[in-house]
Amino acid sequence: MKIGLYTGTFDPITNGHMDIIHRAAKLFDKLYVSIFNNDKKNPLFSSIERAEIMRQLLTDSEHIEIIVHESDLTVNVAQKLGVTALVRSVRNAQDLDYESAMIYFNHEMTGVETVLLAASPELQYVSSSRMKELAHFGVDVSKWVPELVALELEKKFEQK
């Protein structure tokens, strides 16, 4: 059985993330989407909120499972889940440089392979941090995030 693991902070979830999830799901019998907490990124949504949004977005995807990990190495999580390959995505050369180092260390530590998916051209400039910045200033980001996420961003910034 081919089991994939796609990790990220997903704060917020973008159309780029969703594109990678749907494309990766076609490659595996089971795909785990793991939401990690990264305090360095100043999360707007709690990991529980992100997981709930992701579950709502993927209700029709039977072989995709959403999990949350507050603090652990991706390779440790992968080993616990019996993952056959990690899924990573790149938007540009900077992402590729970062991911290349991670691929090396992940493979050296555990032997797990990594499947690298390039962002679709129309989504390569979409990032979670940019979506938060634009939404903070009242820009309609519904073009770059799922409708549910756009609504949740609007609610978050109304509260501030």
Side-chain angles (χ1 to χ4, degrees):
M1 189 167 166
K2 294 180 199 167
I3 303 171
L5 173 64
Y6 179 46
T7 62
T9 52
F10 305 109
D11 184 54
I13 301 150
T14 68
N15 289 342
H17 294 133
M18 295 304 293
D19 180 55
I20 296 296
I21 290 167
H22 290 298
R23 290 167 50 204
K26 294 175 185 174
L27 302 174
F28 298 96
D29 301 308
K30 180 168 190 81
L31 177 65
Y32 289 101
V33 176
S34 183
I35 297 169
F36 277 71
N37 200 32
N38 185 344
D39 291 331
K40 293 177 193 170
K41 293 188 174 185
N42 298 315
L44 179 63
F45 295 94
S46 72
S47 51
I48 301 302
E49 288 173 314
R50 286 177 270 155
E52 181 52 35
I53 292 168
M54 187 75 80
R55 284 185 184 101
Q56 289 180 46
L57 293 172
L58 295 169
T59 54
D60 295 338
S61 304
E62 293 176 15
H63 72 289
I64 299 174
E65 185 175 335
I66 311 306
I67 57 177
V68 175
H69 282 277
E70 294 297 329
S71 177
D72 204 348
L73 289 175
T74 297
V75 291
N76 292 341
V77 173
Q79 284 186 311
K80 291 173 193 169
L81 297 171
V83 165
T84 55
L86 301 173
V87 174
R88 301 300 299 163
S89 61
V90 294
R91 293 171 298 176
N92 52 41
Q94 184 180 356
D95 283 355
L96 181 59
D97 189 45
Y98 174 82
E99 292 300 337
S100 294
M102 293 307 301
I103 290 167
Y104 168 78
F105 284 106
N106 289 339
H107 192 266
E108 284 293 307
M109 290 187 290
T110 64
V112 70
E113 293 294 340
T114 299
V115 173
L116 206 54
L117 296 176
S120 295
E122 69 277 10
L123 298 169
Q124 70 183 13
Y125 299 108
V126 177
S127 70
S128 293
S129 55
R130 181 59 42 98
M131 295 304 100
K132 286 189 283 193
E133 177 186 19
L134 293 174
H136 173 76
F137 287 103
V139 175
D140 177 9
V141 295
S142 60
K143 178 177 180 176
W144 305 292
V145 300
E147 184 180 342
L148 173 61
V149 174
L151 294 171
E152 292 299 324
L153 280 167
E154 195 175 300
K155 286 183 205 173
K156 282 285 185 185
F157 287 114
E158 282 177 358
Q159 295 170 5
K160 294 191 176 222

